[in-house]
Amino acid sequence: MAMETPREREIAAEDSIRVVCRFRPLNDSEEKAGSKFVVKFPSGGDENCISIGGKVYLFDKVFKPNATQDKVYNEAAKSIVSDVLAGYNGTIFAYGQTSSGKTHTMEGVIGDPNKQGIIPRIVNDIFTHIYGMEENLEFHIKVSYFEIYMDKIRDLLDVSKVNLSVHEDKNRVPFVKGATERFVSSPDEVFEVIEEGKSNRHIAVTNMNEHSSRSHSVFLINVKQENLENQKKLSGKLYLVDLAGSEKVSKTGAEGTVLDEAKNINKSLSALGNVISALADGNKTHIPYRDSKLTRILQESLGGNARTTIIICCSPASFNESETKSTLDFGKRAKTIKNVVCVNEELTAEEWKRRYEREKEKAARFKGKVEKLEAELARWRQGETVKPEEQVNLQEGPDVTTPIAPPVEVNSVEMKNKEHEALSEELLAKQTTLNTTASELQQLRDMSAHQRKRIAEMLTNLLKDLCEFGVAIGGDESLKISADSNGKLEEEFTVARLYISKMKSEVKNLVQRCQGLESNQTDCNKKVKILSYLQMKYNFQGGDLTGARKDLKGLEETVAKELQTLHNLRKLFVQDLQCRIKKSMNAEDNEDDGGSLAQKQKISFLENNLDQLTKVHKQLVRDNADLRCELPKLEKRLRATMERVKALETALRDAKEGAMRDRKRYQYEVDRIKEAVRQKNLARRGPSALIAKPIRAGQHHVTGVNAIKPGNRENKSKNSFADENNINSDVKLIYNAYA
């Protein structure tokens, strides 16, 4: 691969790093904690600035919390696809504190058209662009996936490679030596590689994030293309980086291994910040790329040959205000960095020959011009005066001679032109600064006017609420605030004070009434305790609610029968008594006093028994009424108990299903590890060659034996055994992707 020469690097285009900012919505924990939304977005269609704590930040793009994944991709990352396919290097990485939405932005939910992030969308777009390009182009795409964990590079596609090193190629471009490379020919194959790598990545649970990334992941896409007609070759590398989040131990609650991980994460991010600061300050003598593995890998992305986009992810909550400001300052510094971007092109022999002839012709023209200038200089030195029409024109080609001023005058004009250019550049810079300051001032004015309007609205609403509250308490509508009293805040506050004084007296009355209600509540509680005691007594005596109903019904029937019997006996007793009285009155002379006294005693005894039976009857009626009152409560409690039992049964069933899933996952991991060990043992026997899968532009990908390079079609019949090896290698690649 022929890289650019020093002269070509000088004339290569300078490209500023693009910085876009994305804010996520407030999460549930922040809302429950009462965190405020401290970030302010400008009104109107301006989407490149943000304000927090009175300070304004300008970026290439600012995405509000309601921005969709599709919008973020289209406006922040989509253009890099065509750049990579045109032979440029590209880098996209997300930066921010933990739980700020970096992984959601970079990965999202793979396979979901709405929730998938930048990486899956870029993969789909790359193949879509290839399928729509000229048919004479052939592509070879390979991917790598590794993470930087505890400042060690770990291959996510081969877990046995745990400490890879960073080397430089012949052009002094850093690369990870020994990283597994997989050739891919469709988006599905890329997604299989991503899923395999994600299953091996380090994550943990913290107070800030349930799935916190504990490492920096790097997904590298290497695209090589060849024009089959003129053999022109281009290559482009695309780094897609999901950084682990910076975090405070006091907020995340990290302990043990998680604490060590946090220390290493913050250390590597500090090294990244130092590199950004050195590049922003214009310190070209020493850039601390070698302070960490992360900055070493991103060396070409920061100040080198790459088109880089940084997505800074932030939280809008007041709880994370200091971390958000630090992230915005990082993005502000990074926005000042310029990369030197050029095409990675491998020239053919014919192209080198054409360039040689072109440079040779240019050198001959300059040689002739130099000879004419030497002749003119000799004439000036001899004291001759060269006429303007005979002087060599320094502004045009070497063969054109037009009148120019004498050398002294030329030098003066050049000096004046340089001074004019310097003043123009300074004026342009001042004008740019003035425009920026005016824009910021206008934004601050708009924000100030908006804030004043909001304050007035809040005060008006507050006074209205006070008015309604006073009416609700005092029931007096004689004082009422008019909704159209704009600018009369003093009068409204006077009315509010009147309402507050009235509300004080009403609140005192309410306090007294509350005390009375509390005493009533105490009595009610006593009654409830008595009822609870009766209920406990009933529960202690045993029987379920159905038995109680049956017993109660039987008791009611028994009481009714007994009462009817008692009533009949009473009638018989009264009739018998009347008969006896009549007989006694007729035979009064024949009876003695002793018999009459015994009869009275019997009557008294019967009356007492009748009174006792009446009391028992009343008591049974009261008990019956009490039981009828308790019956709905017992039914309600029984229903609650049944619902609780059903909920426990559901939870038990879910727990069993979860245990089965965990068991299957565990068995899957065991099988995967066994297969990895088997593959490792097979690898010791000797390396097996990977078969590159070429992709032809203008058509969808072809797999199997049809994926044969056009130049080798004539050897297809002669190499049937090689074709079989290709098929077996393809099967191995697919098997490794699923393993």
Side-chain angles (χ1 to χ4, degrees), residues 343-503:
V343 177
N344 302 314
E345 182 181 7
E346 182 178 350
L347 302 178
T348 62
E350 294 181 358
E351 181 65 22
W352 279 116
K353 186 176 180 180
R354 284 196 297 270
R355 291 193 177 188
Y356 171 75
E357 295 296 337
R358 188 164 57 249
E359 294 296 328
K360 184 177 179 180
E361 182 181 356
K362 187 187 296 184
R365 290 199 305 269
F366 277 106
K367 184 177 180 180
K369 185 174 182 178
V370 168
E371 291 177 354
K372 292 181 179 180
L373 289 173
E374 288 177 349
E376 181 181 343
L377 179 61
R379 292 178 62 184
W380 283 103
R381 286 178 176 175
Q382 292 175 3
E384 298 182 13
T385 300
V386 182
K387 297 180 179 180
E389 59 272 11
E390 297 178 354
Q391 297 175 3
V392 180
N393 187 0
L394 299 176
Q395 304 297 328
E396 297 181 2
D399 297 332
V400 181
T401 57
T402 55
I404 58 174
V408 177
E409 295 181 3
V410 170
N411 292 336
S412 300
V413 171
E414 288 180 353
M415 291 176 61
K416 294 296 183 182
N417 288 336
K418 290 181 179 179
E419 291 178 1
H420 178 69
E421 291 177 358
L423 290 174
S424 299
E425 291 178 357
E426 184 178 358
L427 178 61
L428 181 61
K430 296 291 185 183
Q431 187 67 30
T432 304
T433 305
L434 178 61
N435 293 336
T436 303
T437 306
S439 176
E440 293 178 358
L441 179 61
Q442 184 62 35
Q443 293 171 6
L444 291 175
R445 286 176 177 173
D446 295 341
M447 294 174 65
S448 177
H450 181 65
Q451 289 177 353
R452 287 197 299 269
K453 183 178 179 181
R454 288 290 305 277
I455 290 171
E457 291 177 355
M458 291 171 63
L459 288 176
T460 304
N461 293 332
L462 177 61
L463 295 178
K464 288 181 180 179
D465 292 339
L466 285 175
C467 175
E468 294 175 359
F469 183 60
V471 172
I473 293 178
D476 185 7
E477 298 185 359
S478 59
L479 296 175
K480 187 161 184 169
I481 300 175
S482 60
D484 56 351
S485 57
N486 297 326
K488 300 180 180 180
L489 294 180
E490 295 181 358
E491 297 179 2
E492 294 180 354
F493 275 117
T494 303
V495 176
R497 283 195 291 270
L498 292 176
Y499 273 111
I500 291 172
S501 63
K502 287 190 63 179
M503 283 188 285

